[in-house]
Amino acid sequence: MSRATVGKLAAYEDAGGEGFTPEGEAVVYLGAAGGERAAAIARQATSVLAVEKSPVAGLRLVERAKAQADLVPVVGDARQPEAYGPLVPELGLLVQDVAQPDQVEIFLDNADRFQPERGYLAVKARSIAVDRPPEQVFDRARERVAEEAAVREIVSLDPHHEDHVMIVADFDGASP
Ligand SMILES: C[S@@+](CC[C@H](N)C(=O)[O-])C[C@H]1O[C@@H](n2cnc3c(N)ncnc32)[C@H](O)[C@@H]1O
């Protein structure tokens, strides 16, 4: 399989992560792009609310969701969770893949608002800083998440996604 065809969650599992089990869970997926992977999760989960900022990708997401009632598309900004908050059910899992400089804060803001049991944050080092070694960026991201939740795992997504990690955090009453 080529590098590009492996999503972040699949790369995490491939790298030996404990696993992503959406069965029976309500999921919020931030950075859904055209929704291909969010749709696959929705087939296992009870529902996926998929948020995508780009209007072009968002249109594909909306088209895809027409065929799948358990995939709820939101063309909007994950920095504004108040805009889609009313659509979010009691949340099990938060997944984020937005590749933005403030990706850790976006994740924590959404977690604070929606109180998931567990969150999966795909961190792209170069989106946060090009002038620091990725390991330093990952350490800081892990430390910041650990201020709000119990970090369960940090798993490198190499070789599928260079200089990325998945941070898995438990929010369910697990704040340090
Ligand atoms: C790395 S791609 C996601 C790929 C997708 N998760 C997949 O597996 O196919 C990052 C996506 O996040 C979206 N994005 C970036 N900033 C965002 C924001 N603030 N809110 C929502 N989506 C955002 C981008 O438009 C892009 O589609």
Side-chain angles (χ1 to χ4, degrees):
M1 198 179 287
S2 81
R3 288 160 59 130
T5 59
V6 176
K8 307 293 176 359
L9 286 164
Y12 151 78
E13 291 189 327
D14 195 43
E18 281 176 28
F20 175 73
T21 49
E23 290 79 7
E25 302 281 6
V27 178
V28 166
Y29 191 124
L30 306 175
E36 183 184 349
R37 296 194 168 97
I41 294 170
R43 285 190 277 276
Q44 301 170 274
T46 53
S47 66
V48 175
L49 183 109
V51 181
E52 171 52 48
K53 188 175 177 195
S54 151
V56 176
L59 188 58
R60 284 188 281 125
L61 172 64
V62 169
E63 284 301 316
R64 187 181 297 277
K66 284 181 183 166
Q68 210 174 327
D70 46 16
L71 178 63
V72 180
V74 173
V75 183
D77 191 337
R79 294 188 184 92
Q80 295 171 342
E82 65 279 5
Y84 47 86
L87 300 173
V88 176
E90 192 175 332
L91 192 60
L93 304 174
L94 175 65
V95 177
Q96 182 180 299
D97 180 17
V98 300
Q100 291 291 316
D102 55 342
Q103 54 195 280
V104 176
E105 294 308 318
I106 292 173
F107 178 73
L108 292 176
D109 282 352
N110 278 267
D112 186 45
R113 177 169 286 262
F114 302 127
Q115 304 282 306
E117 287 174 26
R118 186 166 291 173
Y120 294 78
L121 169 63
V123 179
K124 179 177 181 180
R126 275 174 289 140
S127 295
I128 296 177
V130 287
D131 57 347
R132 283 188 280 144
E135 288 311 322
Q136 214 180 81
V137 175
F138 298 145
D139 281 351
R140 180 60 201 130
R142 181 184 46 71
E143 283 167 14
R144 178 67 189 102
V145 173
E147 290 170 14
E148 311 287 337
V151 173
R152 192 179 177 89
E153 294 179 280
I154 177 161
V155 177
S156 169
L157 304 188
D158 279 340
H160 300 296
H161 298 279
E162 198 180 338
D163 294 339
H164 286 68
V165 292
M166 185 71 76
I167 295 179
V168 183
D170 284 336
F171 290 92
D172 190 23
S175 294

